[in-house]
Structure formats: structure tokens, C-alpha cells
Amino acid sequence: MKPVDPEMRALLLGSIPALRAFAFSLTRDLDRSDDLVQETLVRAWTKADSFTPGTNLYAWLFTILRNLFYSEQRKRRREVEDADGVMAGRLTALPDQEARVELSAFQDALSTLPANQREALVLVGAQNFTYEEAAEICGVAVGTIKSRVSRARGRLVELLGMTGPDDIGSDGATLAAMGNP
């Protein structure tokens, strides 16, 4: 049995909130995102000896999570989906306040973005990775990440009917994704 490394354990536990947020942005399903985070942590723990100390642990973990997600996606292509949205419609609840309405509208708009743009926007806008770190996680050039983020932000402004920064809602997810503090 592998000895417990308290420092690695603490770092992995501390990364859970960020991993959950990223996983949810990819899956848009709480159960699937939690499973994805759990599998990421298991892989990271079992492969901890392949992590290079002094490098960005979050980038390493996000890369593992992203690779697991896309592997899962390839497997799921053969599964039947809720194409007409009947099941999803039964699971929704009406928002009861303005921030929830704004967040719901933002999430709907975010879900219409192409996966590569949504992924880049979440990494840079919500997870605060640098363009360079996001590029490394996604395995693309820095310019590609910048372009994806720019196109995603522009499309969100368009989808949400905004004319400028003053139109951005008050919820943290919208503000972060649009590049505002």
C-alpha cells in the first residue's frame, strides 16, 4: 500500500471546488461532474509520482479531468440522449429572484457555445487560469485560447442582449466569464 503524503492530500482536497466547477461546466450535470472529479482525484492520487513538484498542480489536475471528460464523451456517443428535453424539463425549477434569472439565462447562453469556446472561457474567466496555462491544459496554442475566449465573450454578449459592460448582471459567474471582477 502506498504511504499517505499529507501535503499532496491537502493540495488535492483544496482543489475540489475548482475541479467541481470546471467539471460542471463541461457536463452540466451535478452527478456526472462529481463522478468526474472523483475519478480525477483517484487518478491523480495513483499517479502522484508522475507529478513534477514545483509545477502547476491545478493545470495538471484540470488536464486529467479534461482528458477523462473527453474519453467519457467518446464512450457516451452510443447512448440515447434526452433529445426532446422532456426529462430535463421535469427537473427544472422556476427562478425566484433576479440573480437566479440572470444566472439561468447566462447558463443557457453558455451551454449554446461550442465546447472548445466554453471550455476556454471557463478556464480563463471562471477558474482564473492564464491564457498560457489554459493553452497547456487544452493542448493548443496561446493564440487559439485567446481567440476562443474572445469569440465566446462576444457571443455571450450577443446572446444575452447586452450592449456593454453595464448590462452585465450581478452574479459572479456572469461577471467572471465576461472578464469583470
Side-chain angles (χ1 to χ4, degrees), residues 11-138:
L11 290 171
L12 291 177
L13 290 175
S15 70
I16 291 175
L19 289 171
R20 287 187 80 210
F22 183 53
F24 185 76
S25 76
L26 295 173
T27 65
R28 294 182 299 276
D29 178 288
L30 285 175
D31 292 332
R32 281 184 60 206
S33 61
D34 283 344
D35 291 344
L36 192 56
V37 169
Q38 181 178 356
E39 182 63 24
T40 299
L41 293 172
V42 168
R43 290 260 175 107
W45 186 256
T46 59
K47 302 291 184 184
D49 55 333
S50 68
F51 174 70
T52 307
T55 61
N56 189 335
L57 177 71
Y58 271 29
W60 183 64
L61 292 171
F62 274 63
T63 302
I64 292 170
L65 188 143
R66 181 180 180 273
N67 290 341
L68 287 169
F69 171 74
Y70 284 113
S71 293
E72 180 182 291
Q73 285 297 100
R74 285 189 293 275
K75 292 176 188 174
R76 287 184 179 265
R77 288 180 203 230
R78 294 183 216 110
E79 293 180 10
V80 177
E81 294 185 22
D82 183 21
D84 56 3
V86 171
M87 290 294 292
R90 283 190 249 154
L91 299 175
T92 59
L94 295 175
D96 57 359
Q97 55 188 335
E98 187 176 332
R100 289 183 75 175
V101 173
E102 290 174 356
L103 181 59
S104 178
F106 173 75
Q107 288 173 329
D108 290 345
L110 186 66
S111 71
T112 66
L113 295 176
N116 62 2
Q117 289 180 14
R118 185 175 58 246
E119 176 181 67
L121 186 62
V122 168
L123 288 171
V124 172
Q127 295 297 330
N128 294 319
F129 280 104
T130 65
Y131 288 114
E132 291 77 14
E133 291 168 334
E136 184 179 328
I137 290 168
C138 295

Side-chain angles (χ1 to χ4, degrees), residues 109 151-163 178:
R151 286 193 311 267
R153 286 179 174 156
R155 184 68 179 138
L156 284 177
V157 165
E158 179 183 313
L159 288 170
L160 295 172
M162 298 176 176
T163 57
M178 299 307 292

